[in-house]
Amino acid sequence: MQSYKEKISRENLPKHVAIIMDGNGRWAKSRGETRTFGHKHAIQAVRNAVNACNEIHIPYLTLYTFSSENWNRPQDEVTTLMTLISETMLLEAEEIFTKGLRMHVIGDLDKLPELVRDQMLHLVDITKNNKRGNLILALSYGSQNEILNAVKKISSEVKNGELEIEDIDEKVFENHLYTKDIPPVDLLVRTSGEVRISNFLLWQIAYAELQFLDILWPDFGKEDFFRCIYDYQNKERRFGKTSEQLD
Ligand code: IPE
Ligand code: IPE
Ligand code: MG
């Protein structure tokens, strides 16, 4: 049987895929293990997604790694997650670099432990000239907060006379988001069976295709990723037009 990777057309690839990596806790629970066990097994699934993306040259991949709401989890889980993120970054830095990936981090970085923040910013810095692809980690990220920050920055520019109200359009607004210079999301995938957005990229997914998978994140493999791309390619993206207009 043909694999999904072979079925994908190289013409109509999404430019930007974003993933809500959900279900680590349930994956662990179903095995009678602690939530930490699930988070540890999530790392291989992250590699699978990054590698799959790299193999077919999708230029932007955003991974929802830790939300602004996740700070409300029990303190020991937050600490475990921060340690895991930090260790994984150290271990994977070379691989990210040799793959030619440019790292970006979006979110309220001030809330991160200093070590994690410094590591992230270092990785962002040393990969800034890489051109093969972009890996964006959403860390301490909340979309409503991102939008509010943009509104505050724009308001202060108006107040200071640097910007006219009439000149505020979609482009100006986007330039004040964390995702400035990153194209809109074409495909949003969420694992774990939950059908919600959980405060992720609300502006950027305005016209994204949405896919909700019943698998739990630690089980996510490369073929799952390729299947998402295959399904994406079988959708007609009309952007408000009629089907006939697209022919
Ligand atoms: C996703 O898995 C990881 C993070 C949110 C950091 P969860 O930890 O949310 O797993 P479930 O949803 O409880 O199964
Ligand atoms: C969303 O998952 C955040 C990440 C995957 C990092 P959650 O598990 O935190 O989302 P909710 O709380 O179920 O909506
Ligand atoms: Mg969850």
Side-chain angles (χ1 to χ4, degrees):
M1 217 181 75
Q2 230 188 351
S3 68
Y4 281 104
K5 186 180 178 186
E6 289 163 330
K7 288 190 195 174
I8 295 171
S9 142
R10 300 302 156 117
E11 310 277 278
N12 170 29
L13 288 168
K15 238 181 155 175
H16 187 175
V17 176
I19 308 182
I20 304 177
M21 311 183 289
D22 195 21
N24 301 350
R26 278 163 281 174
W27 186 89
K29 199 173 172 194
S30 72
R31 287 165 173 75
E33 296 281 354
T34 61
R35 296 178 59 80
T36 305
F37 186 76
H39 295 315
K40 285 190 175 152
H41 281 265
I43 299 166
Q44 184 54 45
V46 173
R47 287 194 201 101
N48 296 340
V50 173
N51 290 341
C53 221
N54 205 247
E55 282 175 27
I56 57 171
H57 300 287
I58 289 178
Y60 293 89
L61 173 67
T62 302
L63 300 175
Y64 205 5
T65 309
F66 191 91
S67 74
S68 49
E69 288 72 26
N70 289 149
W71 290 117
N72 300 322
R73 290 195 176 190
Q75 189 52 51
D76 61 338
E77 179 164 350
V78 170
T79 309
T80 302
L81 280 166
M82 287 300 139
T83 309
L84 260 182
I85 290 166
S86 164
E87 286 173 359
T88 308
M89 279 301 125
L90 275 178
L91 281 172
E92 303 290 324
E94 202 178 317
E95 182 73 15
I96 291 173
F97 194 84
T98 34
K99 280 207 169 77
L101 297 179
R102 179 172 176 185
M103 271 273 303
H104 308 254
V105 188
I106 57 173
D108 183 359
L109 304 189
D110 290 343
K111 290 218 175 95
L112 293 172
E114 207 179 330
L115 177 73
V116 180
R117 182 174 56 245
D118 289 352
Q119 261 181 350
M120 290 295 161
L121 294 177
H122 179 64
L123 206 49
V124 168
D125 187 51
I126 62 168
T127 60
K128 65 175 184 283
N129 296 319
N130 286 356
K131 302 234 164 10
R132 197 179 146 88
N134 294 273
L135 175 60
I136 302 130
L137 291 193
L139 202 50
S140 184
Y141 175 87
S143 185
Q144 290 185 332
N145 195 256
E146 175 185 35
I147 290 171
L148 278 178
N149 278 335
V151 170
K152 286 182 194 164
K153 282 189 257 171
I154 290 172
S155 309
S156 83
E157 286 173 29
V158 169
K159 195 173 161 196
N160 298 337
E162 298 158 32
L163 184 66
E164 298 294 330
I165 289 186
E166 305 69 61
D167 293 335
I168 304 171
D169 58 10
E170 286 89 343
K171 194 72 221 153
V172 168
F173 195 78
E174 279 162 8
N175 282 339
H176 291 79
L177 294 172
Y178 295 130
T179 49
K180 176 180 183 311
D181 299 329
I182 293 172
V185 176
D186 297 305
L187 169 62
L188 173 73
V189 176
R190 181 174 189 146
T191 57
S192 92
E194 307 298 349
V195 184
R196 57 175 171 264
I197 301 298
S198 303
N199 202 11
F200 190 41
L201 301 174
L202 299 175
W203 173 281
Q204 298 87 341
I205 60 167
Y207 248 111
E209 295 297 325
L210 309 180
Q211 293 183 18
F212 298 95
L213 313 185
D214 272 333
I215 56 175
L216 301 172
W217 179 250
D219 287 328
F220 187 85
K222 285 204 290 186
E223 267 294 284
D224 295 308
F225 185 89
F226 295 134
R227 186 190 176 141
C228 292
I229 305 300
Y230 177 76
D231 288 345
Y232 165 89
Q233 291 185 327
N234 285 299
K235 298 278 175 208
E236 184 176 63
R237 300 186 78 198
R238 291 190 284 276
F239 295 99
K241 295 183 180 172
T242 67
S243 220
E244 293 69 27
Q245 281 177 293
L246 303 173
D247 289 336

